[in-house]
């Protein structure tokens, strides 16, 4: 019976994901299938809606990966920006085309990495037509997997000493690690690899997945579909891990380390597994973020980024994957779209300016909104529940009988 319910839940989850992906593709291609004058401005490719959807997909994966560590395992880490930095740079270094390396690394006379993954696949499948699309796709996917692996390897070596720490000490250690990484990647001696303090660019981005016709006109937009697809696959993998025996061990460690160890759970092994897994998916989200902003630059991956992701986790609910995803899109929509009008100075017909409406006021209101949410939702929007839990029937209280 339990197995049938789990299969039914998996089918429903897969169906929901397929419907969501179909809706994203449909929304994104309205401007392709209809005349431009008939397309609402909100559905144009340059609309803020698609910026929110893309960034939300990227940040949702980063938030869920942090929730795996902080919410499900109980390890308070603040190194998310550092792992995203590793993923972004690994992806960028491996996918900058050979023809563009001299331009990108012009200050250093070229790159020390003399290949790119899509060029290697291009030698096998060709660089034109379907072969070129396949080469680009395989190169991007492999680069993203390697981005996650590099972040996981760094997490393993960092975790050997820092995972012996607890609570605030672990947070301080991982935060320091992220800051050290940011400084190292801007070190001029590593310029032939990381391009120093300069940005890496010219690698495949989300728009590279748009399908164009012979004249170069876009016939199918997939630039929003791609980050949604990658994030969904990764989040589904995290869900499978959480619902496995390893996930139950993570939760036991979160609740009581002494009791978990008494039950035979290897604390060091499972903490390291959670830490490395979280870093892997943070690295993938870092690669996605580089594709979103069209560049990789170390100074972007600050502690502020980590605090944003942590805030999303808290708002959504520590220990809730659904909550992290919902909170991500609400957070990004408020900060990047819905409150934008507060930054624009408004002048009335009488010539008087509306007070407070000026650059920066948006963030003041946004901070107040966050405070209100935290005050009224102490455990976050979802607490530790998932979306399917909201549709379950509550069992009747024991000892109560139905009255006629």
């Amino acid at each position: 019976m339990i197995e049938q319910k789990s299969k039914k839940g998996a089918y429903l989850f897969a169906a929901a994901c397929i419907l969501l992906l179909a809706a994203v593709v449909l929304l994104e291609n309205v401007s392709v299938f209809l005349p431009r004058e008939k397309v609402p401005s909100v559905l144009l490719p340059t609309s803020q809606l698609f910026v929110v959807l893309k960034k939300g997909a990227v940040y949702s994966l980063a938030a869920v990966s942090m929730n795996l560590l902080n919410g499900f395992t109980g390890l308070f880490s603040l190194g998310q920006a550092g792992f995203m930095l590793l993923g972004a740079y690994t992806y960028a270094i491996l996918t900058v085309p050979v023809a563009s390396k001299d331009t990108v690394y012009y200050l250093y006379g070229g790159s020390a990495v003399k290949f790119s993954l899509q060029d290697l696949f291009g030698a096998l499948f060709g660089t034109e037509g379907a072969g070129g699309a396949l080469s680009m796709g395989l190169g991007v996917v492999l680069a993203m997997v390697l981005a996650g692996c590099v972040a996981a390897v760094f997490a393993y070596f960092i975790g050997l000493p820092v995972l012996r720490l607890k609570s605030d000490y672990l947070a301080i250690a991982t935060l320091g690690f992220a800051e050290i990484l940011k400084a190292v990647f801007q070190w001029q001696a590593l310029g032939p690899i990381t391009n120093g303090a300069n940005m890496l660019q010219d690698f495949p981005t989300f728009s590279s997945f748009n399908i164009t016709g012979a004249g170069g006109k876009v016939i199918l937009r997939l630039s929003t579909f791609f980050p949604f697809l990658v994030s969904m696959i990764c989040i589904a993998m995290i869900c499978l891990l959480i619902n496995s025996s390893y996930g139950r061990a993570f939760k036991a460690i979160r609740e009581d380390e002494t009791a978990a160890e008494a039950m035979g759970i290897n604390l060091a092994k499972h903490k390291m597994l959670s830490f490395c897994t979280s870093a892997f998916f943070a690295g993938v989200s870092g690669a996605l973020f580089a594709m979103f902003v069209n560049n990789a630059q170390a100074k972007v991956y600050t502690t502020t980024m980590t605090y944003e992701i942590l805030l999303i986790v808290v708002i959504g609910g520590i220990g809730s994957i659904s909550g992290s995803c919902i909170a991500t899109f609400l957070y990004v929509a408020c900060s990047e779209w819905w409150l934008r009008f507060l930054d624009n100075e408004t002048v009335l017909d009488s010539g008087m300016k509306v007070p407070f409406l000026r650059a920066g006021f948006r963030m003041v209101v946004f901070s107040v909104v966050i405070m209100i949410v935290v005050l009224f939702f102490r455990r976050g929007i979802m607490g530790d529940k998932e979306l399917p839990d909201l549709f379950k029937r509550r069992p009747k209280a024991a000892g109560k009988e139905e009255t006629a």
Side-chain angles (χ1 to χ4, degrees):
M1 189 70 178
I2 295 175
E3 185 178 352
Q4 289 179 349
K5 287 184 177 180
S6 63
K7 285 185 178 180
K8 183 179 179 181
Y11 292 145
L12 289 174
F13 176 76
C17 289
I18 292 171
L19 287 174
L20 180 57
L21 289 173
V24 168
V25 174
L26 184 62
L27 279 175
E28 193 175 16
N29 286 281
V30 168
S31 62
V32 175
F33 300 135
L34 295 178
R36 190 177 182 88
E37 60 274 8
K38 293 185 178 181
V39 179
S41 59
V42 73
L43 295 181
L44 292 174
T46 55
S47 167
Q48 203 67 20
L49 169 64
F50 295 108
V51 174
V52 169
L53 290 176
K54 292 172 187 176
K55 188 174 181 179
V58 175
Y59 266 40
S60 62
L61 177 56
V64 171
S65 68
M66 175 177 269
N67 209 347
L68 171 65
L69 189 62
N70 290 21
F72 289 96
T73 316
L75 299 176
F76 188 30
S77 169
L78 293 177
Q80 211 70 1
F83 295 126
M84 291 178 70
L85 182 152
L86 285 168
Y89 268 82
T90 301
Y91 170 80
I93 291 168
L94 293 176
T95 55
V96 173
V98 173
S100 301
K101 286 186 182 292
D102 288 342
T103 304
V104 174
Y105 291 88
Y106 70 96
L107 290 177
Y108 303 95
S111 172
V113 181
K114 302 298 183 183
F115 68 92
S116 73
L117 292 178
Q118 64 265 37
D119 288 334
L120 293 179
F121 284 113
L124 295 175
F125 303 107
T127 57
E128 300 295 334
L134 179 62
S135 301
M136 191 270 292
L138 289 175
V140 167
V141 171
L142 180 56
M144 293 177 69
V145 172
L146 291 175
C149 291
V150 168
V153 169
F154 269 79
Y156 176 80
F157 288 108
I158 293 296
L160 289 175
V162 304
L163 288 182
R164 301 183 183 187
L165 304 172
K166 294 182 180 180
S167 188
D168 299 342
Y169 299 102
L170 175 60
I172 293 170
T174 51
L175 184 63
F177 152 73
E179 289 300 305
I180 291 170
L181 267 183
K182 188 174 69 172
V184 168
F185 271 72
Q186 296 181 84
W187 188 24
Q188 293 300 315
L190 292 178
I193 299 175
T194 64
N195 208 23
N198 307 294
M199 66 176 62
L200 291 171
Q201 50 191 356
D202 290 343
F203 47 78
T205 61
F206 293 155
S207 60
S208 302
F209 289 88
N210 292 335
I211 299 175
T212 57
K217 183 180 179 181
V218 176
I219 58 176
L220 183 64
R221 295 186 182 277
L222 298 175
S223 59
T224 307
F225 168 82
F226 178 75
F228 265 79
L229 178 63
V230 174
S231 293
M232 282 183 178
I233 292 173
C234 292
I235 292 172
M237 293 173 67
I238 294 174
C239 288
L240 291 174
L241 176 64
I242 290 171
N243 291 315
S244 69
S245 59
Y246 290 104
R248 289 190 287 274
F250 294 160
K251 294 174 187 177
I253 293 171
R254 176 192 64 191
E255 298 300 328
D256 191 327
E257 289 190 11
T258 304
E261 190 173 23
M263 289 189 297
I265 295 174
N266 188 324
L267 297 183
K269 173 186 173 182
H270 285 86
K271 284 183 179 180
M272 183 63 77
L273 176 62
S274 177
F275 195 52
C276 292
T277 305
S278 174
F280 175 86
F281 289 110
V284 175
S285 68
L288 288 174
F289 187 77
M291 298 177 76
F292 168 69
V293 296
N294 300 335
N295 64 72
Q297 194 169 21
K299 68 179 184 180
V300 174
Y301 300 88
T302 60
T303 54
T304 303
M305 177 180 284
T306 297
Y307 296 149
E308 278 185 331
I309 298 169
L310 179 61
L311 182 60
I312 289 170
V313 171
V314 172
I315 291 174
I318 297 177
S320 172
I321 293 176
S322 304
S324 294
C325 295
I326 294 170
T328 298
F329 285 97
L330 290 176
Y331 180 91
V332 175
C334 283
S335 62
E336 299 288 342
W337 186 17
W338 294 339
L339 300 179
R340 280 282 179 184
F341 71 94
L342 296 173
D343 281 347
N344 301 324
E345 290 189 359
T346 303
V347 181
L348 301 177
D349 294 337
S350 60
M352 185 182 71
K353 290 184 178 181
V354 177
F356 302 117
L357 292 185
R358 64 190 67 183
F361 187 61
R362 166 176 59 98
M363 297 311 297
V364 175
V365 175
F366 183 55
S367 300
V368 174
V369 171
I370 290 174
M371 290 174 62
I372 294 172
V373 171
V374 171
L375 285 173
F376 285 93
F377 295 90
R378 296 293 179 89
R379 300 185 62 204
I381 296 172
M382 295 292 294
D384 58 354
K385 299 182 183 299
E386 303 293 348
L387 278 178
D389 297 334
L390 302 180
F391 301 98
K392 290 181 179 179
R393 293 182 179 179
R394 294 182 179 179
K396 295 179 180 179
K400 288 187 178 181
E401 296 180 359
E402 294 184 2
T403 57

